[in-house]
Amino acid sequence: MVIDLHTHSRHSDGTDTPGELVAAAAAAGVRVVALTDHDAATGWDEADRAGREHGVTVVPGIELSCRWRGVSVHLLGYLFDPQDVALLAETGRARRHRVTRIEQMAQALADAGWPVSVAQVHAQAGAGATLGRPHLADALVAAGVYPDREAAFADVLHGNSRFYVGHYAPDVVAAVAMLRAAGGVPVMAHPFAAARGTVVGDDAIEAMVRAGLLGLEVDHRDHDAAAVARGERLCDRWGLLRTGASDYHGRGKPNRLGERTTDPAVLTELVAAGTGSPLLGAPLPSPG
Ligand code: AMP
Ligand code: FE
Ligand code: FE
Ligand code: ZN
């Protein structure tokens, strides 16, 4: 049974609708897929319908952009209550500030002579989607400045670029506790992906574990062998669930559905720990 617990749709910076994503999962032989849009749970209903149609179980999820002492950390959350007031307040705040910050970046680029406008960036994103640098990248690609998102990220969209503007992101320890309070299962996304920037130390993992962290996304394409070994060691040390996933973004990244997977026994534990929402889509196959 192929299980992929990290994907993005047009509700954030993926290029597939949730329905297209679930259909693509079925076509790729993925039996269980988690929809984990950045700071948004708005794609769950469509993924649920598509899952029933295509025989795919959908784990409802999210990827929260957080911080640990100024370092960017991504936190996956599964099976939480999507109506939880505290979580909705945090994701709403993040999403609103993401709009302001992308508009600031787009305007600064336009002022410096790049062929891009705030309106063109909005036109790249789905209505109500969580806005991110990938949508600004898509506008620059559409204008012929770069061949793909990757090239835009290597240049003007890089975190070290003079055009870079940060956005509000909650403290990751508080976010772990908030997800647990909403019945969710917090799993740290690609924890040791050095190419993405500074990687946190073991003290951050310990603080998150004490707040209720339940898993680490050990198997991810951005992890080299040393990162995987470090993740395995920390899972053993703290009794954390070891997950694996593709971080699929449709045409936005080379990542393919099912390229990294999670063990069925880990999924069973994850589902048992999540009490805020049921599984969506098709029912899980009965064991044996
Ligand atoms: P943001 O959260 O708006 O700062 O943008 C970060 C997002 O951009 C991440 O979630 C990634 O999905 C995406 N991203 C980061 N680096 C790249 C890259 N080199 N190519 C394509 N997408 C990227
Ligand atoms: Fe993304
Ligand atoms: Fe991420
Ligand atoms: Zn992701």
Side-chain angles (χ1 to χ4, degrees):
M1 184 163 70
V2 179
I3 301 165
D4 185 340
L5 294 182
H6 182 167
T7 70
H8 298 268
S9 77
R10 280 184 67 74
H11 285 251
S12 62
D13 57 358
T15 60
D16 293 355
T17 64
E20 289 166 349
L21 187 154
V22 169
V30 174
R31 179 63 183 75
V32 181
V33 69
L35 181 66
T36 55
D37 277 306
H38 298 288
D39 301 323
T42 47
W44 290 11
D45 288 346
E46 186 182 326
D48 178 34
R49 289 191 295 276
R52 291 171 200 276
E53 183 185 333
H54 294 282
V56 172
T57 302
V58 175
V59 183
I62 199 164
E63 183 176 21
L64 300 173
S65 291
C66 303
R67 322 227 140 251
W68 162 262
R69 297 181 182 160
V71 176
S72 168
V73 170
H74 286 181
L75 183 66
L76 295 162
Y78 302 105
L79 297 163
F80 56 88
D81 173 5
Q83 306 300 338
D84 183 83
V85 172
L87 257 180
L88 281 173
E90 277 303 284
T91 54
R93 183 174 174 189
R95 285 152 59 88
R96 280 191 300 279
H97 193 219
R98 279 171 162 285
V99 174
T100 311
R101 96 28 123 129
I102 283 297
E103 290 180 347
Q104 283 171 344
M105 288 183 73
Q107 192 58 52
L109 282 163
D111 291 346
W114 265 263
V116 69
S117 69
V118 168
Q120 283 165 3
V121 176
H122 281 291
Q124 293 296 331
T130 301
L131 269 188
R133 281 180 287 164
H135 301 112
L136 183 46
D138 290 346
L140 291 163
V141 171
V145 180
Y146 298 107
D148 52 27
R149 285 184 179 180
E150 180 77 36
F153 269 88
D155 193 19
V156 287
L157 300 188
H158 196 275
N160 297 331
S161 158
R162 69 190 170 97
F163 296 104
Y164 181 79
V165 178
H167 65 82
Y168 168 74
D171 171 68
V172 70
V173 173
V176 165
M178 201 174 285
L179 278 168
R180 286 299 296 273
V185 181
V187 172
M188 190 180 174
H190 42 73
F192 313 118
R196 290 166 174 261
T198 312
V199 167
V200 298
D202 288 359
D203 56 337
I205 310 290
E206 179 170 353
M208 291 165 71
V209 167
R210 296 199 187 284
L213 186 74
L214 292 176
L216 292 180
E217 188 183 51
V218 173
D219 298 294
H220 186 286
R221 71 153 60 206
D222 294 352
H223 282 173
D224 60 14
V228 170
R230 184 175 169 204
E232 281 180 326
R233 179 172 61 73
L234 286 166
C235 283
D236 286 347
R237 168 149 178 216
W238 297 111
L240 297 168
L241 300 172
R242 170 186 180 158
T243 70
S246 65
D247 206 351
Y248 175 76
H249 282 69
R251 283 172 280 105
K253 279 189 175 184
N255 310 31
R256 293 299 94 195
L257 284 162
E259 68 174 30
R260 298 285 190 282
T261 60
T262 298
D263 193 275
V266 169
L267 178 69
T268 302
E269 286 190 55
L270 192 148
V271 170
T275 57
S277 165
L279 286 170
L280 305 177
L284 277 179
S286 45

